[in-house]
Amino acid sequence: MKRIAVFTSGGDAPGMNAAIRAVVRMAMYHKVEIFGIQYGYRGMIQGDIIPLQSRSVSNIIQRGGTILRTARSEEFMMYEGREKAFNALQQNGIEGLIGIGGDGTFKGLSKFMEEFPVNVVGVPGTIDNDLYGTDYTIGFDTAVNTALGTIDKIRDTAAAHERLFYVEVMGRDAGFIAVDVGIASGAEYIVIPETETNIDDLREMLRHYRKDKSSAIIIVAEGDEEGNAFEIADKVKDAAGYDYRISVIGHVQRGGSPSALDRCLASRLGAAAVEKLIEGKTGIMVGEINWKINEIPLEETWKKHKRVQPHLLELARILSL
Ligand code: F6P
């Protein structure tokens, strides 16, 4: 393996830059030439490929976003797009690819390696934490802390006005952010897509809290099957007499300086991805289970489902009584 390339794709996540830095520096350490593909699969198709050196990744470990930029590419979903991408890699002599992203990125990589002779390794980078084969994805810890900081502020105003707040956090298909943020903020109720939301139960809990809690917080994962925070508030209706407001935290969860946990995880996984490629591994994602590097076939990362632990919801409920 003489020349490899790294790219970021899909939703950005804090810590992606730390992962890029680790990939570049570990590749240089092993005397492998390293290139960066800009704008994810779109840039791969367009041959937007630049050489990277050690100093190209100076001063980025603390920055959110991704210096390589990212995109969601429709064209790469078609065979013709993937063929163009393969030709661009060939023209640049790229033998191995490291893709940092979530399930969409890995589905693309999997398809790509089925059709073309490319060596690929995935690094889990998404705030959603919804990839099987790793305890944590890069960006999750920072996103949880960002949401938490906001909810702590919402608690102040909720307490001052004696209000109920529905707070919507990100997680289209997954409730990992909602559960951790819910426990850490001491929320009164958490709704997530993985479990059936019972509006009657929520009403009942609100009636219970209303007896002696002057304010309350309900965390709603955006992808809940009963709807987003506005829709759920509509279904609950009078909220047991609480004056209520709705707050959507949104994309602020994707930005900001990565936490120490995310920087360290990104450093370990970026470095491991390079080592796996050099060892001749392909078609895998590198993750961590119980602090140990784990490799898993790319397809399993989305075909198998990492489950939110139901006992955590129960814990949140007990601790809010
Ligand atoms: O997958 C990461 C994520 O932030 C999800 O939590 C969210 O639903 C989605 O991306 C938002 O995507 P976009 O930035 O394209 O609106």
Side-chain angles (χ1 to χ4, degrees):
M1 187 80 40
K2 297 258 167 29
R3 192 178 270 199
I4 64 177
V6 58
F7 68 99
T8 48
S9 165
D12 60 321
M16 279 184 164
N17 280 327
I20 295 168
R21 171 180 177 271
V23 167
V24 170
R25 298 237 166 120
M26 187 53 91
M28 302 221 52
Y29 174 77
H30 285 287
K31 312 227 173 328
V32 172
E33 276 186 276
I34 174 81
F35 284 71
I37 302 170
Q38 307 198 89
Y39 304 100
Y41 290 121
R42 193 175 83 204
M44 203 184 289
I45 292 169
Q46 292 165 355
D48 195 346
I49 299 173
I50 54 169
L52 296 172
Q53 286 93 31
S54 198
R55 295 287 84 81
S56 320
V57 291
S58 295
N59 207 15
I60 66 167
I61 196 168
Q62 76 282 17
R63 282 170 51 194
T66 156
I67 58 160
L68 292 175
R69 306 290 192 263
T70 185
R72 301 189 198 268
S73 166
E74 297 277 321
E75 204 182 346
F76 196 78
M77 292 182 187
M78 326 280 199
Y79 178 82
E80 292 70 27
R82 294 191 290 274
E83 194 177 34
K84 280 190 201 158
F86 180 68
N87 291 338
L89 294 181
Q90 291 276 86
Q91 277 158 19
N92 286 275
I94 308 288
E95 297 165 286
L97 268 185
I98 294 177
I100 307 170
D103 59 348
T105 305
F106 295 167
K107 282 175 191 163
L109 265 186
S110 244
K111 192 85 193 134
F112 196 35
M113 59 168 285
E114 259 171 53
E115 297 165 340
F116 300 97
V118 282
N119 300 303
V120 302
V121 172
V123 174
T126 163
I127 64 164
D128 294 342
N129 199 28
D130 57 348
L131 290 169
Y132 188 86
T134 189
D135 288 337
Y136 292 104
T137 56
I138 297 164
F140 172 71
D141 182 63
T142 308
V144 166
N145 280 293
T146 300
L148 195 57
T150 304
I151 294 164
D152 288 347
K153 293 184 174 90
I154 289 174
R155 265 230 184 263
D156 290 344
T157 179
H161 281 271
E162 303 200 333
R163 281 177 173 154
L164 164 73
F165 268 81
Y166 293 88
V167 182
E168 185 179 300
V169 297
M170 274 189 166
R172 222 176 351 210
D173 310 305
F176 291 98
I177 296 179
V179 169
D180 274 23
V181 151
I183 292 175
S185 66
E188 273 65 31
Y189 207 91
I190 305 170
V191 300
I192 57 170
E194 291 91 339
T195 57
E196 204 178 310
T197 300
N198 182 332
I199 299 290
D200 286 336
D201 179 64
L202 175 47
R203 274 200 208 102
E204 182 53 39
M205 287 307 290
L206 286 177
R207 274 196 288 272
H208 174 78
Y209 293 135
R210 189 78 180 116
K211 290 182 203 148
D212 63 355
K213 283 198 178 201
S214 56
S215 63
I217 302 277
I218 298 174
I219 304 291
V220 180
E222 62 176 337
D224 189 74
E225 76 286 356
E226 286 290 345
N228 61 27
F230 287 91
E231 290 161 333
I232 288 182
D234 262 1
K235 288 181 183 172
V236 173
K237 289 204 177 72
D238 75 349
Y242 277 113
D243 179 24
Y244 71 84
R245 293 289 186 274
I246 298 164
S247 187
V248 178
I249 302 185
H251 283 78
V252 70
Q253 290 160 100
R254 285 240 296 263
S257 186
S259 66
L261 269 180
D262 275 329
R263 296 183 202 191
C264 292
L265 178 66
S267 300
R268 294 192 297 266
L269 294 183
V274 173
E275 289 181 326
K276 296 291 173 194
L277 265 185
I278 292 172
E279 282 167 26
K281 300 275 172 65
T282 182
I284 57 161
M285 178 193 85
V286 287
E288 262 187 11
I289 303 275
N290 292 331
W291 302 99
K292 287 212 177 69
I293 294 290
N294 181 46
E295 57 179 74
I296 175 168
L298 272 179
E299 286 201 350
E300 286 186 25
T301 64
W302 76 87
K303 286 195 173 150
K304 292 189 174 172
H305 291 284
K306 181 156 81 184
R307 302 261 168 234
V308 165
Q309 300 196 14
H311 74 90
L312 291 180
L313 282 177
E314 183 59 14
L315 177 69
R317 180 182 278 248
I318 293 169
L319 298 185
S320 70
L321 289 174

